[in-house]
Amino acid sequence: MSLKERINEDIKTAMKSKDKIRLETVRSIKKLILEKEVSVRPSGQDTLTEEQELEILSRLAKQRKESIEQYQQGGREELAAQEAQELAILEEYLPKPLSDQEVSTLIDQIVAEVGATSVKDMGKVMGPVMEQLKGKAEGKKVQELVKAKLSGQF
């Protein structure tokens, strides 16, 4: 089942169960997917690739995480709770995140491949790492791990 089909089914289910937050969240995903499809049509692409869908979902999840943080800092716990519910729904569509150990192993492989020896080589490492980890690990966390490995702290 494609992501688009799954979302359509989830919209129907949410409507039947009167789950307002799930319905709004899934509709927002559908809206962004449709917008992205329209934007890529001029290039001859009819549907989105799995990578493009993953990019949309990752961006939405990142926005929710940032909103939660801001609401908590502002003392708006009820809004933070709502964003957390939406984030949980979004995470159902994202692939299972890799553990720190799995990310660390991949970083080690890429550091060896590109011959990185210091923090100055961080750019050489981050590109290939993020390419392979797209949607499977948070960029900020990956950046911290790469920096730690290249500075000899890990």
Side-chain angles (χ1 to χ4, degrees):
M1 179 184 291
S2 75
L3 178 64
K4 206 170 172 182
E5 292 169 344
R6 183 174 168 204
I7 286 173
N8 286 331
E9 289 300 314
D10 288 350
I11 287 173
K12 290 176 193 173
T13 305
M15 288 172 87
K16 288 178 184 175
S17 66
K18 295 182 179 14
D19 186 346
K20 185 180 175 188
I21 291 178
R22 179 172 291 278
L23 181 61
E24 288 176 9
T25 304
V26 178
R27 277 185 174 161
S28 72
I29 297 169
K30 182 177 180 177
K31 175 183 167 267
L32 288 172
I33 287 174
L34 291 174
E35 286 175 0
K36 183 74 172 181
E37 281 181 344
V38 168
S39 73
V40 298
R41 278 194 192 128
S43 66
Q45 186 179 346
D46 288 338
T47 59
L48 297 180
T49 63
E50 198 172 307
E51 188 176 286
Q52 289 169 319
E53 292 173 343
L54 188 61
E55 185 181 311
I56 291 169
L57 292 170
S58 297
R59 188 174 62 231
L60 284 170
K62 182 179 178 185
Q63 288 171 349
R64 294 305 187 285
K65 288 175 186 172
E66 290 170 355
S67 294
I68 290 169
E69 196 175 298
Q70 290 174 351
Y71 286 141
Q72 287 174 337
Q73 288 174 357
R76 302 292 308 268
E77 293 303 321
E78 70 283 351
L79 293 174
Q82 181 176 341
E83 292 287 325
Q85 287 178 315
E86 292 177 12
L87 177 61
I89 294 166
L90 285 166
E91 287 175 341
E92 293 173 15
Y93 297 99
L94 288 167
K96 182 184 165 285
L98 296 177
S99 70
D100 286 351
Q101 183 59 44
E102 292 168 315
V103 172
S104 183
T105 302
L106 179 69
I107 291 170
D108 288 338
Q109 289 172 356
I110 292 176
V111 165
E113 284 174 20
V114 299
T117 56
S118 70
V119 178
K120 291 179 183 177
D121 297 324
M122 193 159 168
K124 292 181 190 175
V125 177
M126 282 301 292
V129 167
M130 289 312 295
E131 178 100 10
Q132 291 187 22
L133 293 178
K134 195 166 209 116
K136 297 177 187 170
E138 200 172 304
K140 200 181 256 184
K141 187 182 231 179
V142 172
Q143 184 179 14
E144 290 169 4
L145 286 170
V146 169
K147 195 173 203 174
K149 283 193 181 291
L150 292 176
S151 63
Q153 297 174 359
F154 209 79

